[in-house]
Amino acid sequence: SALRGERAPVYVTLGSSGDVNVLPNVVRALGRLPVWVLLATAERAELADVPPNVLIADYVPGDEAARHAAFVITNGGSSSGYQALAEGTPVLGIPFNLDQYLAMDAIERAGAGLLLRSGSLTEQKVEDAVRNLLSSARYRQAAVHVAAAMKQLKFAELFRNFVQRATAQGAPRSRVV
């Protein structure tokens, strides 16, 4: 475990709509912890005084980063949150807008992650949440359970059927007025 001397890999991304103003608190907290950090900025943030255990890139393949991470720190939105869950990786969500809160609330209720409010985020809250994620296997177990449930669904087939039904002859069509 990371708390016994090994460094856990952590993937951090706030995507295109997370509150990048929280990144300095996140990075400072992670700098004190037994983790290696890959931070993807989406070209939205420039950080000074980056700890040596933090690597910054503009973009990374999120699914691969999530697959290898002990957990993912994200805005909690459906894209990055569900990307992490599809890999069986827990989420520390820092939502900034309503859809991110709603998605992250569902992840937290499933036991697969923790939600921290961006408006009241402190280094200590991040550190406490990270220590919790690193010391308890229950988040990983829940994330793996969610991943298994997601794999049962045939998303491509479901979407193809939806499109076929929506575009079938006689289906109501929206129009711009």
Side-chain angles (χ1 to χ4, degrees):
S1 137
L3 293 180
R4 289 193 298 261
E6 301 167 15
R7 289 189 175 265
V10 177
Y11 171 45
V12 179
T13 178
L14 296 181
S16 62
S17 60
D19 183 3
V20 294
N21 294 318
V22 304
L23 280 177
N25 282 339
V26 170
V27 168
R28 281 191 298 271
L30 293 172
R32 296 190 300 267
L33 294 168
V35 296
W36 290 109
V37 179
L38 176 57
L39 167 61
T41 66
E43 297 181 339
R44 297 181 58 228
E46 299 263 340
L47 296 169
D49 302 320
V50 177
N53 64 328
V54 177
L55 174 66
I56 298 177
D58 289 333
Y59 299 99
V60 300
D63 57 342
E64 189 173 332
R67 185 174 313 124
H68 297 289
F71 60 91
V72 173
I73 298 178
T74 177
N75 62 27
S78 57
S79 298
S80 55
Y82 296 166
Q83 185 177 54
L85 292 178
E87 300 298 336
T89 304
V91 177
L92 173 55
I94 307 172
F96 183 60
N97 60 40
L98 182 59
D99 70 303
Q100 294 165 357
Y101 276 100
L102 294 173
M104 196 57 223
D105 180 61
I107 292 169
E108 189 173 56
R109 279 186 286 112
L114 297 171
L115 184 155
L116 295 177
R117 294 172 120 14
S118 63
S120 60
L121 191 78
T122 64
E123 288 178 45
Q124 190 60 54
K125 287 180 181 178
V126 173
E127 189 171 335
D128 292 346
V130 168
R131 288 187 182 282
N132 193 354
L133 287 166
L134 290 174
S135 65
S136 177
R138 69 186 168 116
Y139 299 104
R140 169 73 60 179
Q141 291 165 348
V144 167
H145 179 75
V146 171
M150 291 172 80
K151 284 180 176 71
Q152 295 289 322
L153 299 172
K154 308 271 189 251
F155 289 114
E157 183 180 324
L158 291 169
F159 185 70
R160 192 171 24 262
N161 290 341
F162 167 76
V163 169
Q164 288 172 346
R165 284 192 313 275
T167 58
Q169 191 73 354
R173 302 196 188 283
S174 62
R175 61 183 188 147
V176 179
V177 207

